[in-house]
Amino acid sequence: MTCGGSAPRDYEAKVAGGRALGDGSGLLAVECEDIASAAEPGQFVMVRPGSCGDPFLGRPLAVAATSGGIFKMLYRVVGRGTELLVSKRQGDSLVVRGPIGRGFFSSRGDMPLPKKVLLAGGSVGAAPLLFAARRLGMAKVAGVSMGVSGRGWEGFAEWLKESFPGVALFSDDGSVGTKGTALDGLPCQLPADTEIWACGPQGMLRALAAKYPEDRARIRVALESRMACGMGGCLGCVIPTARGNRRVCVDGPVFTAEEVLWNEFAD
Amino acid sequence: MTCGGSAPRDYEAKVAGGRALGDGSGLLAVECEDIASAAEPGQFVMVRPGSCGDPFLGRPLAVAATSGGIFKMLYRVVGRGTELLVSKRQGDSLVVRGPIGRGFFSSRGDMPLPKKVLLAGGSVGAAPLLFAARRLGMAKVAGVSMGVSGRGWEGFAEWLKESFPGVALFSDDGSVGTKGTALDGLPCQLPADTEIWACGPQGMLRALAAKYPEDRARIRVALESRMACGMGGCLGCVIPTARGNRRVCVDGPVFTAEEVLWNEFAD
Amino acid sequence: MSSRTEMHVSIGGLNLESPVIIASGVWPYEAELWSPERLEGVGALCTKAVSLNGRAGNKGVRVWETPCGMLNSIGLQNGGVRSFLDDYLPLVRGAYRPFLVNLVMESEREVRESIAALAEIPGIPAIELNISCPNVDGDGMAWGISAESAAKAVRIARSEWKGALWVKLTPQSPDLAGVAKAAEAEGADALVCGNTWLGMAMDIKKKRPVFQRVVAGLSGPAVFPLALRTVWQVCGAVKLPVIGCGGVASWEDATAMLLAGASAVEVGSALFTDFDLPRKIVAGLSTYLAEQKIDTVSGLTGLGRHE
Amino acid sequence: MSSRTEMHVSIGGLNLESPVIIASGVWPYEAELWSPERLEGVGALCTKAVSLNGRAGNKGVRVWETPCGMLNSIGLQNGGVRSFLDDYLPLVRGAYRPFLVNLVMESEREVRESIAALAEIPGIPAIELNISCPNVDGDGMAWGISAESAAKAVRIARSEWKGALWVKLTPQSPDLAGVAKAAEAEGADALVCGNTWLGMAMDIKKKRPVFQRVVAGLSGPAVFPLALRTVWQVCGAVKLPVIGCGGVASWEDATAMLLAGASAVEVGSALFTDFDLPRKIVAGLSTYLAEQKIDTVSGLTGLGRHE
Ligand SMILES: Cc1cc2nc3c(=O)[nH]c(=O)nc-3n(C[C@H](O)[C@H](O)[C@H](O)COP(=O)(O)OP(=O)(O)OC[C@H]3O[C@@H](n4cnc5c(N)ncnc54)[C@H](O)[C@@H]3O)c2cc1C
Ligand SMILES: Cc1cc2nc3c(=O)[nH]c(=O)nc-3n(C[C@H](O)[C@H](O)[C@H](O)COP(=O)(O)OP(=O)(O)OC[C@H]3O[C@@H](n4cnc5c(N)ncnc54)[C@H](O)[C@@H]3O)c2cc1C
Ligand SMILES: Cc1cc2nc3c(=O)[nH]c(=O)nc-3n(C[C@H](O)[C@H](O)[C@H](O)COP(=O)(O)O)c2cc1C
Ligand SMILES: Cc1cc2nc3c(=O)[nH]c(=O)nc-3n(C[C@H](O)[C@H](O)[C@H](O)COP(=O)(O)O)c2cc1C
Ligand code: FES
Ligand code: FES
C-alpha cells in the first residue's frame, strides 16, 4: 500500500491569475514552486477554495500545465467549492495540498513509453491530457479526441481547439464539433504500438474499457472519486481493482483500464 | 417588547472601498441605498464576513457614516470574523442585515435634544460618535474625548484627529495623546444643559456611569453584547435593566446609563 | 413561482401553504416581522416557548458561535402564558397563518394550567409541546428522554388539549424511536424531530465554561447530518407525520429531510443570517419538483426511503 | 519554540513529547509521512483499525462533506492483524514515537486472538480498544453503548493484554459516564472520548441515502462543541486520564479540551486539510502557557473546571 511517489505537502499559495472560459469553466494559475516543479501529468492537487472552515474538505483538481513556479488548473463549476474558485483573483491566497498521486508516467513503473498515444477526454478531463501532450511532445501524440456536453461549452471548445490543434471535437447535442462522444474520435482497432490515455466522466471511461475489451492494458485512465484527505489516509476514495481496493488518490488516479473492476462499482 | 424602529432587512451589498488605519483597524465602505438612507447614529448592521457557511453568525458593527447610497463601518480586528474584513476589496460582496436598533436619537422617544453633547469613546467606539457628531452639527458638540490602548494605535489616532478636530486624546500607556482614559477628558461636573453620548468597552461605560452617579439619565451609552440574530429573536443579547431584560440589538443598543443595572452583569 | 396547491401540506391537523415552519425561539414579536411581506414562503410559525409563569431566563453569556453553528442557553425567557395571550396573541394571529404555541412541559400542574388558559381562547390552532425540559415532578431528567416519561407528558397534555398537538422531541433521548412511539400511542398529532443538541464551549481566556450552566444547545448547519439521521430513524418508527428540524439552511437540506420521511421542516438558526430563507426553500423545492416531475411537495415525503 | 519538558505528558502508561495524538483511521502507512520531519508536534499516533481478519470495508460512497465536517463510512477496511504486523509495524516503529494499535472490539474469541498476536511481538506499547463496533456475541448493539457491555469488552481485553490499554468511547452511548466508570473499574489505563457521531446524508439527485448503510460517522469541527461536552462529563465521572477527540482543529480547541479535563487530544479529520496542525497546536499551547504563566501543559488539565 506504500506509495511510490513522495507524499504531498500543504501550501498557502497565491493566485497568479485566472481566465474564464465561459459557462462556469475557467483556468486558474497558482504560484507554487514546489508543486509546479514536481507535478507530472495525471497528478492533482486538493484545493481548499474558501477562506474559512467551510467548505471543509479540499477539492481535487488535476494539474493542467506548469511553467516556471506556476501551475494551472482547469475547473468547471459543479457546486459551492468550485463556485468559490470563480471569484479568485490575482494575489488571493489559496490552500493547496499537492502534488498528489501517480500520473500517466509514474504509474507505468518500469514499462517503456509506447510509440504513440491517443488522448481522449471529456470536458474538464482535458486538463491532465493537455499536460500529458506537452510532456510527451506532439510527435508522440497520434490524435486527440474530446467530448463536451454541448450548448454552453462554446468558450471551452474554443480553448480546446487553441490548446490541441487538430483536436477531434464532439458534443452530445452536436452544437459544438460533431455530434457524438470522444469515443467516436477513436479508431475501431487500437494499433499495436499505441496506447490511449483518457480522463473524463466515469461513464465515458467505462465505455472506453468496453470498446477495447482486449486492449485494456494499453488504456490508461485518470479516475475520479470522492476524496477527503488526498494523502492516502482516509480510505474514502478506494475503487475495486484486480488487486483489491486501491486508493484513487495515491495508488492512482491513473490506472490501466485492465486493473479496474468496472462492474463492481457505480457512481 | 415591540420595537419602535422598523425591522432590519438582509442585503447582498457590494464593498465600495476600504482604508486600513493601521494595526488591524480600518474603514470599510459598503454600497447599500436602503441602509445608508435609513441609518441613524448608534444603529448598527450585522455583517457576514465570509463567503460561505462559516463564520456562521453576522458580526455587529456600528454605522460610522453615510453619504449617498454608501455607509461606512469602522472595524478593529478581534477574531476570525473581523480578520476576514481586512481582505475585502472594492466589488466584493458582503451580506449585511440592517439598519438595526435604536440609536442616539430615536432612543430618546419624545425627549428634546439637549443644548450640548459631550462625546466620549473608546477605540472603535468612535464609530457611532463620529456619525452622531455629523448629525448633531459641530455647534452642539461641546467636546470629544477619546481613549485608545496605546502603542499600535498611532494610525487610528491620526484618523481620530482628522475626524474630530480638537479631540482630546488619551491612551493607557501615554504613547498616543495624554496618558489616561477618555473619562479624563470629561468635566468633573456635568453641566445641566449637557448630555454625554458614549460608546466603548463595557468597563469604560461602567466607569462613566460611576463617575456621574447623579446624572445617569443624561448619559447615553451604546452597548455591546454577544448577538446571534440582530432582529430581536434569539434573546441572546439581553442585559438587565430597570425594566427587566432588554435586548441590546433592538431595544438598544443605546440606553441611558440610568436604565442599565450595571452591577447585575459582567462581561 | 410555485402554485399554491403544489406546496400545500396538511399535517397533524394543520393546513399549511408551504412545508416551511419557523421554529420556536427564533422569531421576535416585532409587528413588522409578522406581516405577510416578511413571511413569504412561511407555512406556519411556532411561538417562543411559553411557560405558566414568566421566566427571566439564564444569566451570563447566552449565545456563542461554533463552526457552522451556535450554542444557546437562553433559558426559556418569557412572560408567562397570560402575558403571551394579552401582549402577543393578537400579533401572532395577524399573520393569518397557522401557528403553534410552543409550550414548555413543566410540572403536571403547571402544564394543565397553561393549557387551560390557552384553551379558553378560541382559535389557537395547535400546541407544540416541548419535552426537552427537566421533569421537575420526576427524576429531573428531561421529559423527552425516556419513552415512559414522554408518554406521561403527552398523556397529560392530550387530556387537556383538544386542538392539534405536536410533540417536539429532544435528540438527547437514547431511545428516540421509543419516545416517538410513545407519543404516537398517547395521541400526538405530529412529531417535531428535534430540538438542539447538547454541547458546550470553553472560554480559554477566562479559563472557565462560557455558559453559566456549562452546557448549552447546539443548532445550525453543523447539526444537520445528525438531525437528518434522527428524522430517518423516527420516520421508520411511527406513522405520524414528522417535521424535520435541525440545521436546515437551504432548499437542498429541506428536500433531504422530506426524502428521509419528513412532511415539513422547521427552520431556526438559519433565519439569523437570512430572513429570506423560507421563500428560497419554497422556490428551490418548486424547481426540484418540476425537474423530478412530481406534482406536490407532499409527494417527496419518504421518497428517499425506497431504494 | 517549546521546550521538551513543557509539552511532556505522561498518560495511561505512555510518555508523550506533546499532548497531540493522531487519531485512528486518518494517517496512511506511507513511509514518508512517518518520518520525524512530517510528524512535528505529534506526541503519539494511533494506527488504523486492526481486526483479526482482513476486512474489505464498505462499498459505495465512503466520505461526504457536511457543513464544517464530514461523514465517513469506511467500514474498518484493513488487512487483519497479521498483515499489520508484517507489513506496517516496522514503518510505525520507525517514527520513534509511542503508538497505539487501534483494535476493533469484535467477538470475544476474535479479540483474544488479535491481542495474542500483538502480545507475541515485543515493543508494542499500547492498545486503543475501539468499542464503537457492534457486539456480535451479544445483542448487536455497539460494545460501547451500555456500561455492562463496555465492562465486558474491557475485561476481555485487559485479561489478555499487559501493556497500556486505552479505551475509545462512542458518543452514541446514552450513559457515557457509566461506560467510562465501567472501563475504569475493569482496568483501562486511559479513555479516549470519543469517536464519530452518528449522522447521515441524502443524495437528493438520486433520491436515496448517500451511504449504502444509510448512517455514517460525523467528524470535524462541526462536532467540537458536542465532543467537548462529553469530555467535560466523562472527566467529571472518572479519575482516569481522558483524551479529548472530536473536531479539534486549532490550538484553541486543544486548549479548551485540556481545560475541560482532558490530558491530551487526538486530531483526526482536521489533518485532511492541514498536515501541519500538530505543530501549530503545540506552538499555540506554548504561547498560551507563557501568557498564563503555567509551567507545563499538564498544568492545564481540568483548570477550567474550577470556576
Ligand atoms: C483526481 C481528480 C481530479 C479532478 N480534476 C478535475 C479538474 O481538473 N477539473 C475539474 O473541474 N474537476 C476535476 N475533478 C472533479 C472535481 O474535484 C469536482 O468537480 C469538485 O470537487 C466539485 O466540488 P464542488 O464543491 O464544486 O461540488 P460539491 O458537489 O458541492 O462538492 C461536495 C463534495 O463532493 C465532492 N465532489 C463533487 N463532485 C465530485 C467529483 N466529480 N469527483 C470527486 N469529488 C467530487 C467535492 O470534492 C466535495 O467534497 C477531479 C476529481 C478528481 C477526483
Ligand atoms: C452593537 C454593536 C456594535 C459594534 N460596533 C463595532 C464597531 O463599530 N467596530 C468594531 O470594530 N466593533 C464593533 N463591535 C464589536 C464587534 O462586533 C466585535 O469585535 C466582532 O463581532 C468580533 O468578531 P470576530 O469574528 O472578529 O471575533 P470572534 O471573537 O472570533 O467572534 C466570535 C463571536 O463572538 C462575537 N463577539 C466577539 N467580540 C464581541 C464583542 N466585543 N461584542 C459583541 N460580540 C462579540 C462575534 O460577533 C462572534 O459571534 C460592536 C458590537 C456590538 C454589539
Ligand atoms: C436562540 C434559540 C432559542 C430557542 N428557543 C426555543 C424554545 O423556546 N423552544 C423550543 O422548543 N426550541 C427552541 N429552540 C430550538 C429551535 O426551535 C430548533 O429546534 C433548534 O434550534 C434546531 O433547529 P435549527 O438548527 O434550525 O436552529 C431555540 C433555538 C435557538 C437557537
Ligand atoms: C476517515 C475516517 C476513518 C476513521 N477510522 C477510524 C478507525 O479505524 N478506528 C477508530 O477508532 N476511529 C476511526 N475514526 C474516528 C477518528 O479516529 C476520530 O475519533 C473521529 O474522526 C473524531 O475526531 P475528528 O473530528 O478529529 O476527526 C475515523 C475517522 C475518519 C474521519
Ligand atoms: S482521499 Fe483519503 S485515501 Fe484517498
Ligand atoms: S441578537 Fe438576537 S435578540 Fe438581540
Side-chain angles (χ1 to χ4, degrees):
Chain A
M1 216 194 234
T2 304
C3 152
S6 56
R9 290 176 186 272
D10 296 332
Y11 301 93
E12 171 120 15
K14 289 258 175 280
V15 171
R19 177 180 158 194
L21 299 176
D23 301 280
S25 65
L27 286 162
L28 200 65
V30 176
E31 285 172 38
C32 183
E33 185 71 48
D34 284 7
I35 293 180
S37 61
E40 62 147 328
Q43 281 194 311
F44 66 99
V45 296
M46 295 286 280
V47 181
R48 283 198 80 187
S51 50
C52 37
D54 186 69
F56 180 54
L57 300 173
R59 272 35 183 177
L61 292 172
V63 176
T66 64
S67 75
I70 288 174
F71 73 91
K72 284 191 190 163
M73 302 175 293
L74 176 65
Y75 64 84
R76 185 166 77 92
V77 174
V78 166
R80 63 201 192 112
T82 41
E83 180 74 51
L84 286 166
L85 294 178
V86 179
S87 57
K88 294 290 168 192
R89 301 181 236 168
Q90 199 183 329
D92 284 352
S93 58
L94 209 60
V95 175
V96 268
R97 169 170 290 188
I100 306 173
R102 296 172 201 253
F104 286 105
F105 293 84
S106 63
S107 65
R108 319 180 62 78
D110 301 327
M111 192 186 289
L113 281 178
K115 211 155 182 181
K116 292 279 177 193
V117 176
L118 283 163
L119 302 174
S123 87
V124 287
L129 303 180
L130 177 66
F131 193 13
R134 295 267 160 86
R135 284 282 162 96
L136 283 168
M138 274 305 180
K140 251 192 159 29
V141 176
V144 182
S145 181
M146 292 284 167
V148 298
S149 51
R151 210 164 302 283
W153 286 81
E154 293 82 1
F156 186 78
E158 280 314 305
W159 174 81
L160 278 180
K161 286 189 224 161
E162 234 175 70
S163 309
F164 299 100
V167 62
L169 201 60
F170 298 88
S171 64
D172 296 347
D173 64 2
S175 65
V176 173
T178 314
K179 185 166 172 150
T181 74
L183 267 68
D184 298 326
L186 298 175
C188 293
Q189 293 288 332
L190 191 57
D193 60 355
T194 305
E195 284 188 8
I196 296 174
W197 292 7
C199 183
Q202 218 178 79
M204 173 209 156
L205 301 179
R206 198 184 288 275
L208 187 65
K211 182 171 173 147
Y212 304 101
E214 307 301 315
D215 301 315
R216 289 184 180 178
R218 283 189 289 134
I219 299 175
R220 283 183 188 266
V221 294
L223 288 180
E224 288 189 7
S225 179
R226 283 188 188 264
M227 295 182 174
C229 73
M231 59 153 167
C234 71
L235 303 185
C237 64
V238 300
I239 49 150
T241 74
R243 291 195 283 160
N245 280 337
R246 306 273 287 157
R247 297 163 297 175
V248 172
C249 67
V250 295
D251 301 322
V254 176
F255 295 91
T256 68
E258 193 177 32
E259 299 171 85
V260 178
L261 302 181
W262 296 99
N263 295 328
E264 292 191 14
F265 70 116
D267 187 41
Chain B
M1 215 194 235
T2 304
C3 153
S6 58
R9 289 176 186 273
D10 296 331
Y11 301 92
E12 171 120 15
K14 288 259 175 278
V15 171
R19 175 180 158 195
L21 299 175
D23 300 281
S25 64
L27 286 162
L28 200 64
V30 176
E31 285 173 37
C32 182
E33 185 72 47
D34 285 6
I35 294 180
S37 62
E40 63 147 325
Q43 281 192 311
F44 66 99
V45 295
M46 295 286 279
V47 180
R48 284 198 80 188
S51 49
C52 36
D54 186 68
F56 179 53
L57 300 172
R59 271 37 182 177
L61 292 172
V63 176
T66 63
S67 75
I70 287 175
F71 73 91
K72 284 190 190 164
M73 303 176 293
L74 176 65
Y75 64 84
R76 184 167 78 89
V77 174
V78 165
R80 62 200 194 114
T82 41
E83 179 73 51
L84 287 166
L85 294 178
V86 179
S87 57
K88 295 288 168 192
R89 302 183 234 167
Q90 199 184 329
D92 284 353
S93 56
L94 209 59
V95 176
V96 268
R97 168 171 292 188
I100 306 173
R102 295 173 201 254
F104 286 104
F105 293 84
S106 61
S107 65
R108 320 179 62 77
D110 301 327
M111 190 186 291
L113 280 178
K115 212 156 181 182
K116 292 280 176 193
V117 177
L118 283 162
L119 302 175
S123 87
V124 287
L129 303 180
L130 178 65
F131 192 12
R134 296 265 161 85
R135 284 282 162 95
L136 284 168
M138 275 305 181
K140 252 194 160 26
V141 176
V144 182
S145 182
M146 292 284 168
V148 297
S149 51
R151 209 164 303 283
W153 286 81
E154 293 81 2
F156 185 79
E158 280 313 306
W159 175 82
L160 278 179
K161 286 190 227 163
E162 232 175 73
S163 311
F164 299 100
V167 63
L169 200 61
F170 299 89
S171 63
D172 296 346
D173 63 2
S175 65
V176 173
T178 314
K179 186 166 171 150
T181 74
L183 267 67
D184 298 326
L186 298 174
C188 293
Q189 293 288 333
L190 192 57
D193 59 353
T194 304
E195 284 187 8
I196 296 174
W197 292 6
C199 183
Q202 218 177 78
M204 173 208 157
L205 301 179
R206 196 183 289 273
L208 188 65
K211 182 170 175 149
Y212 304 101
E214 306 302 315
D215 302 315
R216 289 185 181 178
R218 285 189 288 132
I219 300 176
R220 283 182 188 267
V221 293
L223 288 181
E224 288 190 7
S225 179
R226 281 184 191 267
M227 297 182 172
C229 73
M231 59 155 168
C234 71
L235 304 184
C237 64
V238 300
I239 50 150
T241 75
R243 291 195 282 157
N245 280 338
R246 305 275 286 157
R247 297 163 298 175
V248 171
C249 66
V250 296
D251 301 324
V254 176
F255 295 92
T256 68
E258 193 177 32
E259 299 170 83
V260 178
L261 302 181
W262 296 99
N263 296 327
E264 291 191 16
F265 71 115
D267 187 41
Chain C
M1 175 149 323
S2 65
S3 72
R4 295 203 148 216
T5 54
E6 180 187 35
M7 284 296 145
H8 178 270
V9 286
S10 176
I11 316 170
L14 299 187
N15 284 311
L16 316 189
E17 280 181 23
S18 99
V20 184
I21 302 168
I22 293 186
S24 175
V26 302
W27 205 249
Y29 298 120
E30 305 289 329
E32 215 188 308
L33 291 176
W34 291 78
S35 69
E37 184 229 343
R38 299 300 295 264
L39 293 174
E40 236 194 285
V42 174
L45 295 103
C46 300
T47 69
K48 284 176 167 302
V50 171
S51 52
L52 179 63
N53 299 307
R55 294 184 183 217
N58 295 332
K59 292 196 185 249
V61 173
R62 287 179 163 197
V63 289
W64 191 261
E65 192 184 61
T66 68
C68 279
M70 61 174 284
L71 289 160
N72 89 76
S73 175
I74 308 299
L76 302 171
Q77 178 184 330
N78 80 103
V81 67
R82 291 281 156 213
S83 142
F84 168 73
L85 293 173
D86 296 346
D87 304 341
Y88 304 128
L89 186 60
L91 184 66
V92 169
R93 279 195 169 137
Y96 297 105
R97 274 178 170 71
F99 62 90
L100 296 105
V101 176
N102 183 268
L103 187 70
V104 185
M105 184 67 212
E106 302 177 280
S107 71
E108 171 158 3
R109 182 192 58 79
E110 286 165 311
V111 90
R112 284 196 190 275
E113 254 186 75
S114 297
I115 294 182
L118 294 172
E120 264 171 36
I121 314 291
I124 294 184
I127 284 178
E128 182 185 52
L129 191 69
N130 176 359
I131 58 172
S132 309
C133 348
N135 175 356
V136 289
D137 294 341
D139 53 7
M141 284 253 278
W143 281 101
I145 293 291
S146 76
E148 295 73 46
S149 58
K152 188 175 167 209
V154 179
R155 201 176 315 134
I156 294 167
R158 183 74 288 177
S159 70
E160 206 73 38
W161 179 250
K162 305 301 159 232
L165 179 64
W166 294 14
V167 177
K168 186 166 175 182
L169 310 179
T170 165
Q172 268 64 249
S173 169
D175 179 24
L176 256 186
V179 167
K181 282 183 192 155
E184 180 171 53
E186 296 295 340
D189 296 306
L191 302 176
V192 180
C193 183
N195 215 305
T196 53
W197 295 72
L198 205 63
M200 78 168 272
M202 182 66 77
D203 187 326
I204 65 168
K205 281 191 200 122
K206 299 187 181 144
K207 300 201 285 294
R208 61 161 203 243
V210 164
F211 297 101
Q212 287 201 355
R213 299 164 55 89
V214 181
V215 295
L218 185 66
S219 62
V223 307
F224 179 75
L226 304 174
L228 183 65
R229 186 261 301 167
T230 62
V231 166
W232 177 275
Q233 288 176 332
V234 167
C235 290
V238 296
K239 298 217 158 37
L240 282 186
V242 170
I243 293 89
C245 178
V248 174
S250 66
W251 72 264
E252 290 93 338
D253 295 342
T255 304
M257 285 284 194
L258 298 176
L259 293 174
S263 300
V265 296
E266 288 191 4
V267 293
S269 318
L271 295 168
F272 294 168
T273 59
D274 189 0
F275 278 123
D276 210 23
L277 182 62
R279 193 195 56 74
K280 288 177 187 162
I281 291 179
V282 167
L285 281 171
S286 182
T287 309
Y288 181 78
L289 287 180
E291 279 168 14
Q292 301 285 333
K293 302 194 184 8
I294 297 171
D295 287 343
T296 68
V297 75
S298 56
L300 292 177
T301 296
L303 212 56
R305 301 182 74 92
H306 320 284
E307 278 165 64
Chain D
M1 174 151 320
S2 65
S3 73
R4 295 205 146 213
T5 55
E6 180 188 36
M7 285 296 147
H8 179 270
V9 287
S10 176
I11 316 169
L14 299 187
N15 284 310
L16 317 189
E17 281 182 21
S18 100
V20 185
I21 301 168
I22 294 186
S24 175
V26 303
W27 205 249
Y29 298 119
E30 305 288 330
E32 215 188 307
L33 290 177
W34 292 78
S35 70
E37 184 231 343
R38 299 302 295 264
L39 293 173
E40 236 194 286
V42 175
L45 296 102
C46 300
T47 69
K48 286 175 166 301
V50 171
S51 52
L52 179 64
N53 298 308
R55 294 184 183 218
N58 295 332
K59 292 196 185 249
V61 174
R62 289 180 162 196
V63 290
W64 191 262
E65 192 184 59
T66 69
C68 279
M70 61 174 283
L71 291 160
N72 90 75
S73 174
I74 307 298
L76 302 171
Q77 177 184 331
N78 80 102
V81 67
R82 291 280 155 213
S83 142
F84 168 73
L85 293 173
D86 296 346
D87 303 342
Y88 304 128
L89 187 60
L91 185 66
V92 169
R93 281 195 167 139
Y96 296 105
R97 274 177 171 72
F99 62 90
L100 296 104
V101 176
N102 182 269
L103 187 70
V104 185
M105 186 66 212
E106 303 178 280
S107 71
E108 172 160 2
R109 182 193 58 78
E110 285 165 312
V111 90
R112 284 196 190 275
E113 251 184 79
S114 297
I115 295 183
L118 294 172
E120 264 171 37
I121 314 292
I124 294 184
I127 284 178
E128 182 185 51
L129 191 68
N130 176 359
I131 58 173
S132 310
C133 348
N135 174 356
V136 288
D137 293 342
D139 53 7
M141 284 251 279
W143 281 100
I145 294 291
S146 77
E148 296 73 46
S149 59
K152 187 175 168 209
V154 178
R155 200 175 314 134
I156 295 167
R158 183 72 289 176
S159 70
E160 205 73 38
W161 179 249
K162 305 301 160 230
L165 179 64
W166 294 15
V167 177
K168 187 166 177 183
L169 310 179
T170 166
Q172 267 63 250
S173 169
D175 179 24
L176 255 187
V179 167
K181 282 182 193 156
E184 181 171 53
E186 296 294 343
D189 296 305
L191 302 176
V192 179
C193 183
N195 215 307
T196 53
W197 296 71
L198 206 63
M200 78 169 271
M202 183 66 78
D203 187 326
I204 65 170
K205 282 192 201 120
K206 299 187 182 146
K207 300 202 284 295
R208 61 161 203 244
V210 163
F211 297 101
Q212 288 202 352
R213 299 164 57 88
V214 182
V215 295
L218 184 66
S219 62
V223 307
F224 179 75
L226 304 173
L228 182 65
R229 185 261 299 167
T230 63
V231 166
W232 177 276
Q233 289 176 332
V234 167
C235 290
V238 295
K239 297 217 159 38
L240 282 187
V242 170
I243 292 88
C245 177
V248 173
S250 66
W251 74 263
E252 290 94 337
D253 295 342
T255 304
M257 285 283 193
L258 298 176
L259 293 173
S263 300
V265 295
E266 287 190 4
V267 293
S269 318
L271 295 168
F272 294 169
T273 59
D274 189 359
F275 278 123
D276 210 24
L277 182 62
R279 193 194 57 74
K280 288 177 186 161
I281 291 179
V282 167
L285 281 171
S286 183
T287 309
Y288 181 78
L289 287 179
E291 278 167 15
Q292 301 285 333
K293 304 198 186 0
I294 296 170
D295 287 343
T296 68
V297 75
S298 55
L300 292 177
T301 296
L303 213 55
R305 302 183 74 91
H306 320 285
E307 279 166 61

